[in-house]
Amino acid sequence: MCAQERAQAPVYYPRPSQTRLASQLSEEEQVRIAQRIGLIQHLPRGIFDPGSEPSDKKVKECVICMVDFEYGDPIRFLPCMHIYHVDCIDAWLMRSFTCPSCMEPVDAALLSTYESN
């Protein structure tokens, strides 16, 4: 594989401490990553709007990138109600399926909502 192909190939994290190109993943790892991507896509998205309530102004920054939220930023909500920039949390969840703030497992909470419906 040439350097240009390596630069364009997506990198995945089959385990938190491992980084591999998509072409190097086993079939089992590919299935697991596809399932994770599917679960991430079911997490609700929104647009950051600080609102006028004093409690709404409590959340000021994405704890992953440490950048303040700005009006109109695309955000994703986790089942624990923490919010993050979509790009930040999606990349995080590909490595670890826990909330970076409270360490709650995201998949367990997400799957329990399907079971209760």
Side-chain angles (χ1 to χ4, degrees), residues 21-63:
L21 298 173
S23 59
Q24 298 172 327
L25 296 172
S26 70
E27 186 174 336
E28 180 183 322
E29 290 168 335
Q30 290 176 23
V31 168
R32 215 173 324 124
I33 287 171
Q35 289 171 332
R36 184 171 282 199
I37 290 169
L39 286 173
I40 291 170
Q41 296 308 310
H42 281 89
L43 293 169
R45 293 176 61 142
I47 299 295
F48 184 73
D49 181 359
S52 57
E53 295 293 316
S55 61
D56 292 343
K57 297 181 181 180
K58 185 170 56 172
V59 177
K60 294 186 178 184
E61 71 180 12
C62 173
V63 300

Side-chain angles (χ1 to χ4, degrees), residues 17-115:
S17 60
Q18 285 184 334
T19 304
R20 287 199 270 160
L21 298 173
S23 59
Q24 298 172 327
L25 296 172
S26 70
E27 186 174 336
E28 180 183 322
E29 290 168 335
Q30 290 176 23
V31 168
R32 215 173 324 124
I33 287 171
Q35 289 171 332
R36 184 171 282 199
I37 290 169
L39 286 173
I40 291 170
Q41 296 308 310
H42 281 89
L43 293 169
R45 293 176 61 142
I47 299 295
F48 184 73
D49 181 359
S52 57
E53 295 293 316
S55 61
D56 292 343
K57 297 181 181 180
K58 185 170 56 172
V59 177
K60 294 186 178 184
E61 71 180 12
C62 173
V63 300
I64 298 171
C65 67
M66 306 300 279
V67 173
D68 285 348
F69 289 112
E70 292 185 21
Y71 180 83
D73 281 351
I75 56 172
R76 190 176 297 281
F77 301 87
L78 296 189
C80 57
M81 301 309 292
H82 289 112
I83 65 169
Y84 304 93
H85 291 118
V86 169
D87 291 341
C88 297
I89 194 60
D90 287 2
W92 173 278
L93 293 173
M94 287 305 294
R95 292 178 184 90
S96 171
F97 225 55
T98 58
C99 173
S101 296
C102 66
M103 304 313 279
E104 284 290 317
V106 174
D107 53 349
L110 191 59
L111 291 172
S112 71
T113 62
Y114 286 120
E115 291 170 4

